[in-house]
Amino acid sequence: MHANDLYQLADSIIAGNQLDADQALTLAKLPDHDLPELFAVASRVRQHFFGDRIALCSIVNAKSGLCAEDCAFCAQSSFHATGAVTYPLLPQATLLEGAQAAAANGSACYGIVTSGTGISSGEELARICAVVRQLAADGSVAPGASLGILDQQSLLALKEAGLVTYHHNLETARSYFPQICTTHAYEDDVATVRLAKQAGLRVCCGGLFGLGESMEQRIELALTLRELQVDSVPINFLDPVAGTPLATMQQLIPRTCLQIIALYRLLLPDCHITVCGGRQSNLRELQSWIFLAGASGVMTGDYLTKGGRRPEDDQRLIADLGLTVTKEFVR
Ligand code: SF4
């Protein structure tokens, strides 16, 4: 594909036309020497929809380990002997302290993340709603939650408490999901995403790449996310965990990670795209390229079971690129 064709494609996407699966696959097969143009085009589309602004988000591992699901990548599954720390839902005060730290480091969103298929609709939901209520009243960081597969009533209770964003990843394409998880159906995750949308929540839903999926399956996931009209897409890259079935999986190379980000920007042009777990070990020296490849956000600080990058380092990286940290995308 000629560089001019790529720039015409950007104009067409900005004008409101959608990239289809075949076009995306053509872009996925571009030779390495054409990748800088692909990134430039994705950056142009990001610039159109998000300007010079980048949003940061932070998470807290609010309840860790002992999960009854068998997700092949996950340190917290009870099916895998990973030695991951286990504890029940953290007290309110600890969750609120985490939110203060997130607000102070410039994060737009603070995600309360629990392990497990879902949470109990009694004490656990009540405690999380109480925290969300306080965060919503305070207003310094938008409350988010990732609590697994939930029913409509629980999602409505969270919305009523002031939750802004519900996060629930589909993890991978429907066609590859049985290789990754056998303890629940893909449709259960899709149903939670639909219910969260119906509850009026902003939905953050994406996946994890480098699980052995094909490029076609990466495109398949993006098209599912487009159909579900998710608002925000987190992109994670596998950082293999010892003791899991994917412990010896070869990690993606940085160029492939950037290519995935660019394809997602072009397939989901006005979605907020945030690069999250696995950033350091997969992108290595090319971390600063994520925004030039189309990302509009980045998770800062620690991940669920692994350490992350210091927020001050991410802020400097963003400033060095002439971009600014915003809280505007997440409201
Ligand atoms: S990804 Fe979530 S549902 Fe799957 S094993 Fe880990 S904690 Fe459980």
Side-chain angles (χ1 to χ4, degrees), residues 46-47 50-56 106 108 272 291 295-298 314-329:
R46 176 192 59 75
Q47 188 76 28
F50 296 93
D52 289 330
R53 298 162 305 163
I54 298 296
L56 301 175
H272 177 41
F291 306 116
S296 49
V298 70
D314 285 331
Q315 278 168 350
R316 192 176 52 219
L317 184 158
I318 291 164
D320 284 349
L321 288 166
L323 302 169
T324 52
V325 172
T326 184
K327 295 195 177 190
E328 283 170 40
F329 305 160

PDB file of all heavy atoms in Angstrom, residues 46-47 50-56 106 108 272 291 295-298 314-329:
ATOM      1  N   ARG A  46      -5.903   9.774  15.909  1.00  0.00           N
ATOM      2  CA  ARG A  46      -5.959  10.087  17.350  1.00  0.00           C
ATOM      3  C   ARG A  46      -6.012  11.595  17.564  1.00  0.00           C
ATOM      4  O   ARG A  46      -6.822  12.099  18.349  1.00  0.00           O
ATOM      5  CB  ARG A  46      -4.731   9.528  18.082  1.00  0.00           C
ATOM      6  CG  ARG A  46      -4.695   9.907  19.562  1.00  0.00           C
ATOM      7  CD  ARG A  46      -3.365   9.621  20.235  1.00  0.00           C
ATOM      8  NE  ARG A  46      -2.243  10.296  19.629  1.00  0.00           N
ATOM      9  CZ  ARG A  46      -1.975  11.599  19.769  1.00  0.00           C
ATOM     10  NH1 ARG A  46      -2.753  12.362  20.520  1.00  0.00           N
ATOM     11  NH2 ARG A  46      -0.943  12.137  19.153  1.00  0.00           N
ATOM     12  N   GLN A  47      -5.150  12.300  16.844  1.00  0.00           N
ATOM     13  CA  GLN A  47      -5.085  13.754  16.982  1.00  0.00           C
ATOM     14  C   GLN A  47      -6.436  14.389  16.656  1.00  0.00           C
ATOM     15  O   GLN A  47      -6.891  15.297  17.339  1.00  0.00           O
ATOM     16  CB  GLN A  47      -3.993  14.288  16.036  1.00  0.00           C
ATOM     17  CG  GLN A  47      -3.680  15.756  16.213  1.00  0.00           C
ATOM     18  CD  GLN A  47      -2.835  16.014  17.462  1.00  0.00           C
ATOM     19  OE1 GLN A  47      -2.084  15.137  17.887  1.00  0.00           O
ATOM     20  NE2 GLN A  47      -2.983  17.175  18.056  1.00  0.00           N
ATOM     21  N   PHE A  50      -8.814  13.295  19.690  1.00  0.00           N
ATOM     22  CA  PHE A  50      -8.407  13.543  21.083  1.00  0.00           C
ATOM     23  C   PHE A  50      -7.431  14.701  21.253  1.00  0.00           C
ATOM     24  O   PHE A  50      -7.061  15.022  22.380  1.00  0.00           O
ATOM     25  CB  PHE A  50      -7.790  12.257  21.675  1.00  0.00           C
ATOM     26  CG  PHE A  50      -8.785  11.128  21.759  1.00  0.00           C
ATOM     27  CD1 PHE A  50      -8.895  10.200  20.725  1.00  0.00           C
ATOM     28  CD2 PHE A  50      -9.638  11.016  22.839  1.00  0.00           C
ATOM     29  CE1 PHE A  50      -9.829   9.177  20.782  1.00  0.00           C
ATOM     30  CE2 PHE A  50     -10.579  10.003  22.905  1.00  0.00           C
ATOM     31  CZ  PHE A  50     -10.682   9.081  21.877  1.00  0.00           C
ATOM     32  N   GLY A  51      -7.018  15.312  20.140  1.00  0.00           N
ATOM     33  CA  GLY A  51      -6.089  16.439  20.231  1.00  0.00           C
ATOM     34  C   GLY A  51      -4.774  16.029  20.874  1.00  0.00           C
ATOM     35  O   GLY A  51      -4.302  14.906  20.691  1.00  0.00           O
ATOM     36  N   ASP A  52      -4.220  16.947  21.655  1.00  0.00           N
ATOM     37  CA  ASP A  52      -2.913  16.701  22.285  1.00  0.00           C
ATOM     38  C   ASP A  52      -3.042  16.073  23.668  1.00  0.00           C
ATOM     39  O   ASP A  52      -2.101  16.078  24.444  1.00  0.00           O
ATOM     40  CB  ASP A  52      -2.158  18.034  22.448  1.00  0.00           C
ATOM     41  CG  ASP A  52      -1.694  18.568  21.111  1.00  0.00           C
ATOM     42  OD1 ASP A  52      -1.429  17.763  20.210  1.00  0.00           O
ATOM     43  OD2 ASP A  52      -1.607  19.803  20.978  1.00  0.00           O
ATOM     44  N   ARG A  53      -4.233  15.566  23.968  1.00  0.00           N
ATOM     45  CA  ARG A  53      -4.485  15.153  25.356  1.00  0.00           C
ATOM     46  C   ARG A  53      -4.387  13.633  25.559  1.00  0.00           C
ATOM     47  O   ARG A  53      -4.859  12.862  24.734  1.00  0.00           O
ATOM     48  CB  ARG A  53      -5.876  15.633  25.777  1.00  0.00           C
ATOM     49  CG  ARG A  53      -5.990  17.158  25.745  1.00  0.00           C
ATOM     50  CD  ARG A  53      -7.423  17.602  25.719  1.00  0.00           C
ATOM     51  NE  ARG A  53      -8.148  17.000  24.618  1.00  0.00           N
ATOM     52  CZ  ARG A  53      -9.468  16.950  24.522  1.00  0.00           C
ATOM     53  NH1 ARG A  53     -10.207  17.454  25.480  1.00  0.00           N
ATOM     54  NH2 ARG A  53     -10.052  16.381  23.480  1.00  0.00           N
ATOM     55  N   ILE A  54      -3.806  13.278  26.672  1.00  0.00           N
ATOM     56  CA  ILE A  54      -3.629  11.868  27.058  1.00  0.00           C
ATOM     57  C   ILE A  54      -4.204  11.692  28.461  1.00  0.00           C
ATOM     58  O   ILE A  54      -3.948  12.506  29.351  1.00  0.00           O
ATOM     59  CB  ILE A  54      -2.118  11.503  27.078  1.00  0.00           C
ATOM     60  CG1 ILE A  54      -1.493  11.660  25.676  1.00  0.00           C
ATOM     61  CG2 ILE A  54      -1.895  10.094  27.631  1.00  0.00           C
ATOM     62  CD1 ILE A  54      -2.023  10.738  24.607  1.00  0.00           C
ATOM     63  N   ALA A  55      -4.983  10.632  28.654  1.00  0.00           N
ATOM     64  CA  ALA A  55      -5.542  10.368  29.986  1.00  0.00           C
ATOM     65  C   ALA A  55      -4.776   9.236  30.667  1.00  0.00           C
ATOM     66  O   ALA A  55      -4.436   8.234  30.035  1.00  0.00           O
ATOM     67  CB  ALA A  55      -7.021  10.011  29.867  1.00  0.00           C
ATOM     68  N   LEU A  56      -4.539   9.415  31.943  1.00  0.00           N
ATOM     69  CA  LEU A  56      -3.901   8.370  32.756  1.00  0.00           C
ATOM     70  C   LEU A  56      -4.985   7.655  33.566  1.00  0.00           C
ATOM     71  O   LEU A  56      -5.981   8.262  33.952  1.00  0.00           O
ATOM     72  CB  LEU A  56      -2.914   8.989  33.751  1.00  0.00           C
ATOM     73  CG  LEU A  56      -1.758   9.808  33.192  1.00  0.00           C
ATOM     74  CD1 LEU A  56      -0.962  10.426  34.346  1.00  0.00           C
ATOM     75  CD2 LEU A  56      -0.839   8.932  32.358  1.00  0.00           C
ATOM     76  N   GLY A 106      -2.373  12.347  38.842  1.00  0.00           N
ATOM     77  CA  GLY A 106      -2.940  12.872  37.596  1.00  0.00           C
ATOM     78  C   GLY A 106      -3.890  11.930  36.903  1.00  0.00           C
ATOM     79  O   GLY A 106      -4.350  12.214  35.787  1.00  0.00           O
ATOM     80  N   ALA A 108      -7.114  10.136  35.586  1.00  0.00           N
ATOM     81  CA  ALA A 108      -8.502  10.544  35.350  1.00  0.00           C
ATOM     82  C   ALA A 108      -9.458   9.539  35.978  1.00  0.00           C
ATOM     83  O   ALA A 108     -10.554   9.888  36.394  1.00  0.00           O
ATOM     84  CB  ALA A 108      -8.755  10.632  33.853  1.00  0.00           C
ATOM     85  N   HIS A 272     -11.585   5.811  23.239  1.00  0.00           N
ATOM     86  CA  HIS A 272     -10.400   6.095  24.057  1.00  0.00           C
ATOM     87  C   HIS A 272      -9.618   4.783  24.192  1.00  0.00           C
ATOM     88  O   HIS A 272     -10.171   3.777  24.642  1.00  0.00           O
ATOM     89  CB  HIS A 272     -10.873   6.610  25.412  1.00  0.00           C
ATOM     90  CG  HIS A 272      -9.787   6.883  26.386  1.00  0.00           C
ATOM     91  ND1 HIS A 272      -8.597   7.484  26.040  1.00  0.00           N
ATOM     92  CD2 HIS A 272      -9.709   6.642  27.727  1.00  0.00           C
ATOM     93  CE1 HIS A 272      -7.842   7.595  27.110  1.00  0.00           C
ATOM     94  NE2 HIS A 272      -8.488   7.096  28.146  1.00  0.00           N
ATOM     95  N   PHE A 291       1.741   6.496  21.827  1.00  0.00           N
ATOM     96  CA  PHE A 291       0.857   7.619  21.474  1.00  0.00           C
ATOM     97  C   PHE A 291       1.010   7.956  19.988  1.00  0.00           C
ATOM     98  O   PHE A 291       0.060   8.336  19.332  1.00  0.00           O
ATOM     99  CB  PHE A 291       1.158   8.829  22.356  1.00  0.00           C
ATOM    100  CG  PHE A 291       1.095   8.492  23.824  1.00  0.00           C
ATOM    101  CD1 PHE A 291       2.222   8.576  24.627  1.00  0.00           C
ATOM    102  CD2 PHE A 291      -0.097   8.040  24.384  1.00  0.00           C
ATOM    103  CE1 PHE A 291       2.166   8.232  25.974  1.00  0.00           C
ATOM    104  CE2 PHE A 291      -0.157   7.695  25.727  1.00  0.00           C
ATOM    105  CZ  PHE A 291       0.977   7.791  26.519  1.00  0.00           C
ATOM    106  N   ALA A 295      -2.529   5.480  20.637  1.00  0.00           N
ATOM    107  CA  ALA A 295      -3.134   5.380  21.975  1.00  0.00           C
ATOM    108  C   ALA A 295      -3.443   6.778  22.506  1.00  0.00           C
ATOM    109  O   ALA A 295      -2.709   7.736  22.242  1.00  0.00           O
ATOM    110  CB  ALA A 295      -2.190   4.656  22.932  1.00  0.00           C
ATOM    111  N   SER A 296      -4.537   6.863  23.270  1.00  0.00           N
ATOM    112  CA  SER A 296      -4.903   8.153  23.869  1.00  0.00           C
ATOM    113  C   SER A 296      -4.825   8.094  25.394  1.00  0.00           C
ATOM    114  O   SER A 296      -5.228   9.040  26.072  1.00  0.00           O
ATOM    115  CB  SER A 296      -6.319   8.555  23.428  1.00  0.00           C
ATOM    116  OG  SER A 296      -7.223   7.473  23.613  1.00  0.00           O
ATOM    117  N   GLY A 297      -4.345   6.964  25.909  1.00  0.00           N
ATOM    118  CA  GLY A 297      -4.245   6.849  27.359  1.00  0.00           C
ATOM    119  C   GLY A 297      -3.250   5.787  27.747  1.00  0.00           C
ATOM    120  O   GLY A 297      -2.829   4.959  26.926  1.00  0.00           O
ATOM    121  N   VAL A 298      -2.888   5.814  29.010  1.00  0.00           N
ATOM    122  CA  VAL A 298      -1.952   4.814  29.517  1.00  0.00           C
ATOM    123  C   VAL A 298      -2.250   4.562  30.994  1.00  0.00           C
ATOM    124  O   VAL A 298      -2.623   5.481  31.724  1.00  0.00           O
ATOM    125  CB  VAL A 298      -0.491   5.282  29.280  1.00  0.00           C
ATOM    126  CG1 VAL A 298      -0.116   6.459  30.168  1.00  0.00           C
ATOM    127  CG2 VAL A 298       0.489   4.152  29.426  1.00  0.00           C
ATOM    128  N   ASP A 314       5.892   8.511  33.508  1.00  0.00           N
ATOM    129  CA  ASP A 314       4.909   8.597  32.426  1.00  0.00           C
ATOM    130  C   ASP A 314       4.558  10.051  32.117  1.00  0.00           C
ATOM    131  O   ASP A 314       4.391  10.429  30.955  1.00  0.00           O
ATOM    132  CB  ASP A 314       3.645   7.815  32.799  1.00  0.00           C
ATOM    133  CG  ASP A 314       3.870   6.307  32.685  1.00  0.00           C
ATOM    134  OD1 ASP A 314       4.703   5.896  31.861  1.00  0.00           O
ATOM    135  OD2 ASP A 314       3.219   5.557  33.425  1.00  0.00           O
ATOM    136  N   GLN A 315       4.456  10.866  33.168  1.00  0.00           N
ATOM    137  CA  GLN A 315       4.125  12.275  32.928  1.00  0.00           C
ATOM    138  C   GLN A 315       5.231  12.967  32.135  1.00  0.00           C
ATOM    139  O   GLN A 315       4.957  13.763  31.237  1.00  0.00           O
ATOM    140  CB  GLN A 315       3.872  12.986  34.253  1.00  0.00           C
ATOM    141  CG  GLN A 315       2.453  12.726  34.737  1.00  0.00           C
ATOM    142  CD  GLN A 315       2.216  13.153  36.161  1.00  0.00           C
ATOM    143  OE1 GLN A 315       3.143  13.490  36.870  1.00  0.00           O
ATOM    144  NE2 GLN A 315       0.975  13.111  36.573  1.00  0.00           N
ATOM    145  N   ARG A 316       6.478  12.629  32.450  1.00  0.00           N
ATOM    146  CA  ARG A 316       7.594  13.239  31.712  1.00  0.00           C
ATOM    147  C   ARG A 316       7.584  12.776  30.262  1.00  0.00           C
ATOM    148  O   ARG A 316       7.790  13.563  29.340  1.00  0.00           O
ATOM    149  CB  ARG A 316       8.931  12.894  32.379  1.00  0.00           C
ATOM    150  CG  ARG A 316      10.083  13.733  31.829  1.00  0.00           C
ATOM    151  CD  ARG A 316      11.385  13.465  32.533  1.00  0.00           C
ATOM    152  NE  ARG A 316      11.659  12.038  32.546  1.00  0.00           N
ATOM    153  CZ  ARG A 316      12.198  11.395  33.580  1.00  0.00           C
ATOM    154  NH1 ARG A 316      12.520  12.043  34.652  1.00  0.00           N
ATOM    155  NH2 ARG A 316      12.418  10.101  33.529  1.00  0.00           N
ATOM    156  N   LEU A 317       7.308  11.482  30.055  1.00  0.00           N
ATOM    157  CA  LEU A 317       7.256  10.946  28.689  1.00  0.00           C
ATOM    158  C   LEU A 317       6.196  11.702  27.866  1.00  0.00           C
ATOM    159  O   LEU A 317       6.436  12.105  26.726  1.00  0.00           O
ATOM    160  CB  LEU A 317       6.916   9.455  28.764  1.00  0.00           C
ATOM    161  CG  LEU A 317       6.865   8.593  27.521  1.00  0.00           C
ATOM    162  CD1 LEU A 317       7.055   7.134  27.910  1.00  0.00           C
ATOM    163  CD2 LEU A 317       5.569   8.741  26.760  1.00  0.00           C
ATOM    164  N   ILE A 318       5.025  11.898  28.477  1.00  0.00           N
ATOM    165  CA  ILE A 318       3.930  12.588  27.776  1.00  0.00           C
ATOM    166  C   ILE A 318       4.320  14.038  27.470  1.00  0.00           C
ATOM    167  O   ILE A 318       4.118  14.531  26.354  1.00  0.00           O
ATOM    168  CB  ILE A 318       2.640  12.496  28.627  1.00  0.00           C
ATOM    169  CG1 ILE A 318       2.149  11.042  28.635  1.00  0.00           C
ATOM    170  CG2 ILE A 318       1.554  13.437  28.109  1.00  0.00           C
ATOM    171  CD1 ILE A 318       1.122  10.724  29.710  1.00  0.00           C
ATOM    172  N   ALA A 319       4.939  14.707  28.451  1.00  0.00           N
ATOM    173  CA  ALA A 319       5.350  16.106  28.243  1.00  0.00           C
ATOM    174  C   ALA A 319       6.439  16.187  27.172  1.00  0.00           C
ATOM    175  O   ALA A 319       6.432  17.095  26.329  1.00  0.00           O
ATOM    176  CB  ALA A 319       5.856  16.699  29.550  1.00  0.00           C
ATOM    177  N   ASP A 320       7.358  15.228  27.151  1.00  0.00           N
ATOM    178  CA  ASP A 320       8.440  15.234  26.161  1.00  0.00           C
ATOM    179  C   ASP A 320       7.894  15.110  24.736  1.00  0.00           C
ATOM    180  O   ASP A 320       8.520  15.562  23.780  1.00  0.00           O
ATOM    181  CB  ASP A 320       9.428  14.084  26.426  1.00  0.00           C
ATOM    182  CG  ASP A 320      10.353  14.381  27.602  1.00  0.00           C
ATOM    183  OD1 ASP A 320      10.368  15.543  28.065  1.00  0.00           O
ATOM    184  OD2 ASP A 320      11.049  13.454  28.054  1.00  0.00           O
ATOM    185  N   LEU A 321       6.732  14.467  24.602  1.00  0.00           N
ATOM    186  CA  LEU A 321       6.118  14.320  23.269  1.00  0.00           C
ATOM    187  C   LEU A 321       5.267  15.539  22.889  1.00  0.00           C
ATOM    188  O   LEU A 321       4.648  15.561  21.825  1.00  0.00           O
ATOM    189  CB  LEU A 321       5.231  13.061  23.242  1.00  0.00           C
ATOM    190  CG  LEU A 321       5.976  11.716  23.233  1.00  0.00           C
ATOM    191  CD1 LEU A 321       5.015  10.581  23.540  1.00  0.00           C
ATOM    192  CD2 LEU A 321       6.644  11.487  21.887  1.00  0.00           C
ATOM    193  N   GLY A 322       5.208  16.526  23.780  1.00  0.00           N
ATOM    194  CA  GLY A 322       4.400  17.721  23.500  1.00  0.00           C
ATOM    195  C   GLY A 322       2.918  17.482  23.751  1.00  0.00           C
ATOM    196  O   GLY A 322       2.070  18.230  23.272  1.00  0.00           O
ATOM    197  N   LEU A 323       2.607  16.443  24.522  1.00  0.00           N
ATOM    198  CA  LEU A 323       1.208  16.119  24.837  1.00  0.00           C
ATOM    199  C   LEU A 323       0.919  16.554  26.276  1.00  0.00           C
ATOM    200  O   LEU A 323       1.845  16.828  27.044  1.00  0.00           O
ATOM    201  CB  LEU A 323       0.981  14.618  24.647  1.00  0.00           C
ATOM    202  CG  LEU A 323       1.288  14.085  23.238  1.00  0.00           C
ATOM    203  CD1 LEU A 323       1.290  12.555  23.222  1.00  0.00           C
ATOM    204  CD2 LEU A 323       0.287  14.621  22.220  1.00  0.00           C
ATOM    205  N   THR A 324      -0.354  16.626  26.630  1.00  0.00           N
ATOM    206  CA  THR A 324      -0.700  17.038  27.991  1.00  0.00           C
ATOM    207  C   THR A 324      -1.612  16.000  28.639  1.00  0.00           C
ATOM    208  O   THR A 324      -2.420  15.352  27.973  1.00  0.00           O
ATOM    209  CB  THR A 324      -1.434  18.390  28.015  1.00  0.00           C
ATOM    210  OG1 THR A 324      -2.528  18.319  27.122  1.00  0.00           O
ATOM    211  CG2 THR A 324      -0.533  19.535  27.636  1.00  0.00           C
ATOM    212  N   VAL A 325      -1.491  15.870  29.950  1.00  0.00           N
ATOM    213  CA  VAL A 325      -2.333  14.936  30.707  1.00  0.00           C
ATOM    214  C   VAL A 325      -3.682  15.605  30.954  1.00  0.00           C
ATOM    215  O   VAL A 325      -3.745  16.760  31.357  1.00  0.00           O
ATOM    216  CB  VAL A 325      -1.656  14.576  32.046  1.00  0.00           C
ATOM    217  CG1 VAL A 325      -2.590  13.771  32.931  1.00  0.00           C
ATOM    218  CG2 VAL A 325      -0.368  13.799  31.789  1.00  0.00           C
ATOM    219  N   THR A 326      -4.753  14.855  30.676  1.00  0.00           N
ATOM    220  CA  THR A 326      -6.103  15.405  30.853  1.00  0.00           C
ATOM    221  C   THR A 326      -6.944  14.457  31.695  1.00  0.00           C
ATOM    222  O   THR A 326      -6.673  13.256  31.756  1.00  0.00           O
ATOM    223  CB  THR A 326      -6.795  15.607  29.491  1.00  0.00           C
ATOM    224  OG1 THR A 326      -8.059  16.224  29.710  1.00  0.00           O
ATOM    225  CG2 THR A 326      -7.041  14.289  28.769  1.00  0.00           C
ATOM    226  N   LYS A 327      -7.979  15.006  32.321  1.00  0.00           N
ATOM    227  CA  LYS A 327      -8.964  14.160  32.997  1.00  0.00           C
ATOM    228  C   LYS A 327     -10.290  14.224  32.248  1.00  0.00           C
ATOM    229  O   LYS A 327     -11.295  13.684  32.699  1.00  0.00           O
ATOM    230  CB  LYS A 327      -9.134  14.609  34.448  1.00  0.00           C
ATOM    231  CG  LYS A 327      -7.878  14.429  35.286  1.00  0.00           C
ATOM    232  CD  LYS A 327      -8.162  14.522  36.784  1.00  0.00           C
ATOM    233  CE  LYS A 327      -6.882  14.259  37.573  1.00  0.00           C
ATOM    234  NZ  LYS A 327      -7.110  14.100  39.011  1.00  0.00           N
ATOM    235  N   GLU A 328     -10.270  14.889  31.080  1.00  0.00           N
ATOM    236  CA  GLU A 328     -11.532  15.183  30.395  1.00  0.00           C
ATOM    237  C   GLU A 328     -12.217  13.977  29.738  1.00  0.00           C
ATOM    238  O   GLU A 328     -13.422  13.981  29.580  1.00  0.00           O
ATOM    239  CB  GLU A 328     -11.297  16.224  29.291  1.00  0.00           C
ATOM    240  CG  GLU A 328     -11.155  17.619  29.820  1.00  0.00           C
ATOM    241  CD  GLU A 328     -10.687  18.554  28.728  1.00  0.00           C
ATOM    242  OE1 GLU A 328     -11.163  18.422  27.591  1.00  0.00           O
ATOM    243  OE2 GLU A 328      -9.842  19.401  29.031  1.00  0.00           O
ATOM    244  N   PHE A 329     -11.434  12.962  29.326  1.00  0.00           N
ATOM    245  CA  PHE A 329     -12.070  11.871  28.563  1.00  0.00           C
ATOM    246  C   PHE A 329     -12.960  10.992  29.431  1.00  0.00           C
ATOM    247  O   PHE A 329     -13.787  10.261  28.932  1.00  0.00           O
ATOM    248  CB  PHE A 329     -11.037  10.925  27.934  1.00  0.00           C
ATOM    249  CG  PHE A 329     -10.021  11.602  27.064  1.00  0.00           C
ATOM    250  CD1 PHE A 329      -8.830  10.967  26.792  1.00  0.00           C
ATOM    251  CD2 PHE A 329     -10.255  12.840  26.521  1.00  0.00           C
ATOM    252  CE1 PHE A 329      -7.887  11.568  25.984  1.00  0.00           C
ATOM    253  CE2 PHE A 329      -9.323  13.453  25.723  1.00  0.00           C
ATOM    254  CZ  PHE A 329      -8.130  12.815  25.456  1.00  0.00           C
TER     255      PHE A 329
END
